Amino acid sequence: MGTMESTLSAVERGFGTRCRIDAKSCVRARHQASTCAACVSVCPQGAISFPGGIPTVANTLCTGCGACAAVCPTQAAEPVGFADEAIRAAIDHIAPGDQLLFICAESLRQAGSPLPSEPLAKRHKLTSGQHVTVVTLPCLVRLDEAQLLHGAVAGAASMTLLCASCKDCQVAQNEETIQETMAIYRHLSQCWDVHVPVHRVSDPELIGVFANRYRATEAQQPDRRDAFSQIAEEVKQLATNMALASAKDALAKALPQDEGKPSLAQILGFAHGAMPQRPTNRNEALLNDLFVLEESGGTAAAEPCNQPADNEPGPSDSANQPSAAPSTEPVEYDHFGKVTISDACNDCGICAKFCPTGALHLVGEPKQAPKMGLPTPESADPLLEFRCCDCSGCELCADICPQHAITISHSLSHDELFALEPVCLRGNDEASC
């Protein structure tokens, strides 16, 4: 409460910034041949565009629902205040055996509750005597399957997604995407023998119950006014600094400049000879949770829950039926991928150069095509290394390969997913490097 981080989030949202997209991680920005349109396809307001190849969010249209962040393979998109790490931290407040309830913040706002600027975790005791940990999100579409699995690993007995109605919502109308996320989680939970059900509830009356509790909590904590006063002072200082920065920018625009805004190539790091690469936090966290499941025998905590009282969240009658044993067959992962390269590859290395996560790595110099009929200097064949656990399945490498030699599969075996050592796709007959 009163931290600069939450203050900055509030200021950004106050000035209309509800979502950021990092061009360095965005596959559309990294190469114009990319066919990725994940964020554009799910944005309910049509707020995302790519003028000049640079990902741009129209703040006048964006509602900060977080749909783009949930589907972006490289996590380049992030709603202000609702980063993946913040949501996981809120989930970690759950006490083992509690129900975990994700609730739409817009639904709470419509019921008269203050609109949070970051994920909030509150523990409530229901009339049935059971406890439920409530995590607020800008929209339920912000959830992805990795966050749901984290809730199961953290000890949730069941998980419920609660909102009033997506049909008439002014923030987002993404019921189809929400259902798809739940289906992916159910697939993973079945393959990994996780007995924690998830279900969807649209109940305005129940939302009103929680909204009243939040208002009552605010009324019982007048000491928080001091914290809000501190935030107000910090915001005032920030506003002053922003006004000075704006005046400086206006003056700079009025005077002749030798250099304009940085180009897309400069943003991506071409000026330094290399493009930035980073694994996604989502994949790292998902791997950690899957490792925990494996160490615990493949079963997350989930004793059959009591039937909920009237007007309270809880699993359906069939929700706690035992799931299948851990699968020994390859499993489909939405945000992991496996690269296969055909003999058409000419070792140009473009796939490794543009890979956003570093899953593809070229050891040695790429081969060069002959120039003006002259032979190229002889050199050792380069080695192309690959690790499934670093791959986000964005398929950029397949899109840009000039020889169309790359195919991507999202079906991975256990050994492929957890392999720490890279494999050589080229130069060593796919043996371990």
Side-chain angles (χ1 to χ4, degrees):
M1 203 50 210
T3 64
M4 282 299 297
E5 184 176 353
S6 59
T7 301
L8 285 170
S9 295
V11 170
E12 282 194 283
R13 293 180 72 86
F15 278 87
T17 303
R18 292 182 172 86
C19 181
R20 316 181 193 95
I21 300 182
D22 179 16
K24 295 178 181 179
S25 298
C26 175
V27 295
R28 282 277 295 271
R30 291 175 79 89
H31 201 288
Q32 62 181 359
S34 169
T35 59
C36 182
C39 59
V40 176
S41 64
V42 300
C43 180
Q45 308 298 333
I48 301 175
S49 59
F50 291 82
I54 300 177
T56 304
V57 179
N59 293 326
T60 55
L61 298 176
C62 177
T63 60
C65 68
C68 54
V71 301
C72 178
T74 58
Q75 289 191 295
E78 179 180 288
V80 172
F82 291 89
D84 188 69
E85 296 89 340
I87 295 175
R88 291 178 183 278
I91 293 173
D92 285 335
H93 282 83
I94 190 172
D98 278 9
Q99 292 186 46
L100 181 57
L101 177 68
F102 296 101
I103 190 168
C104 169
E106 175 63 16
S107 296
L108 287 174
R109 186 194 67 80
Q110 293 178 3
S113 179
L115 187 65
S117 59
E118 58 186 352
L120 297 178
K122 292 181 180 290
R123 194 169 188 242
H124 299 269
K125 186 175 182 179
L126 305 179
T127 56
S128 62
Q130 190 172 9
H131 286 89
V132 57
T133 298
V134 180
V135 176
T136 56
L137 298 171
C139 175
L140 296 180
V141 78
R142 175 64 186 92
L143 282 171
D144 59 40
E145 69 278 8
Q147 293 161 357
L148 289 174
L149 188 69
H150 186 66
V153 173
S158 66
M159 295 181 288
T160 301
L161 279 58
L162 173 66
C163 78
S165 173
C166 280
K167 182 178 179 181
D168 302 318
C169 181
Q170 299 301 312
V171 173
Q173 298 176 11
N174 273 315
E175 181 65 31
E176 182 178 346
T177 304
I178 295 171
Q179 293 293 339
E180 182 179 349
T181 297
M182 293 170 62
I184 296 173
Y185 163 75
R186 286 171 180 145
H187 170 72
L188 284 178
S189 63
Q190 182 179 25
C191 293
W192 283 86
D193 196 28
V194 175
H195 298 259
V196 181
V198 61
H199 52 284
R200 177 81 167 82
V201 176
S202 295
D203 191 337
E205 186 175 348
L206 181 56
I207 289 172
V209 171
F210 284 111
N212 290 335
R213 291 190 180 189
Y214 286 154
R215 286 197 298 270
T217 301
E218 292 290 329
Q220 292 171 5
Q221 296 182 354
D223 56 314
R224 295 179 70 182
R225 295 175 185 173
D226 294 337
F228 280 113
S229 298
Q230 179 184 349
I231 290 178
E233 290 299 321
E234 293 175 347
V235 170
K236 186 184 297 183
Q237 184 60 47
L238 284 171
T240 301
N241 294 340
M242 292 175 70
L244 292 174
S246 178
K248 183 178 179 180
D249 289 342
L251 181 62
K253 291 178 181 178
L255 297 175
Q257 300 291 322
D258 293 332
E259 297 181 359
K261 293 182 178 180
S263 65
L264 179 59
Q266 291 172 321
I267 293 174
L268 296 177
F270 277 126
H272 303 288
M275 300 178 71
Q277 296 174 320
R278 65 171 179 85
T280 65
N281 293 327
R282 175 201 291 126
N283 285 16
E284 289 182 350
L286 181 56
L287 279 173
N288 287 335
D289 285 336
L290 293 178
F291 181 76
V292 169
L293 288 174
E294 185 175 49
E295 290 293 295
S296 63
T299 303
E303 294 298 327
C305 305
N306 297 325
Q307 283 296 104
D310 290 342
N311 216 21
E312 290 179 356
S316 62
D317 293 339
S318 61
N320 276 307
Q321 295 298 318
S323 61
S327 175
T328 57
E329 299 297 322
V331 177
E332 288 285 335
Y333 295 95
D334 204 49
H335 294 296
F336 284 106
K338 178 176 65 177
V339 171
T340 303
I341 298 183
S342 72
D343 292 336
C345 174
N346 63 359
D347 299 318
C348 69
I350 190 173
C351 55
K353 179 177 182 179
F354 285 91
C355 177
T357 65
L360 285 165
H361 176 65
L362 193 69
V363 180
E365 293 296 323
K367 288 185 177 180
Q368 299 180 4
K371 297 181 179 179
M372 300 180 64
L374 298 176
T376 57
E378 292 187 4
S379 60
D381 290 340
L383 298 179
L384 183 61
E385 299 178 345
F386 174 72
R387 289 206 311 174
C388 285
C389 60
D390 288 335
C391 179
S392 67
C394 69
E395 304 191 8
L396 177 61
C397 54
D399 287 337
I400 66 176
C401 178
Q403 305 299 320
H404 306 290
I406 297 177
T407 56
I408 307 293
S409 171
H410 293 274
S411 181
L412 307 178
S413 69
H414 173 278
D415 291 344
E416 288 171 333
L417 183 62
F418 284 95
L420 297 180
E421 294 297 324
V423 296
C424 290
L425 301 181
R426 293 284 295 175
N428 201 22
D429 295 329
E430 300 188 22
S432 174
C433 299

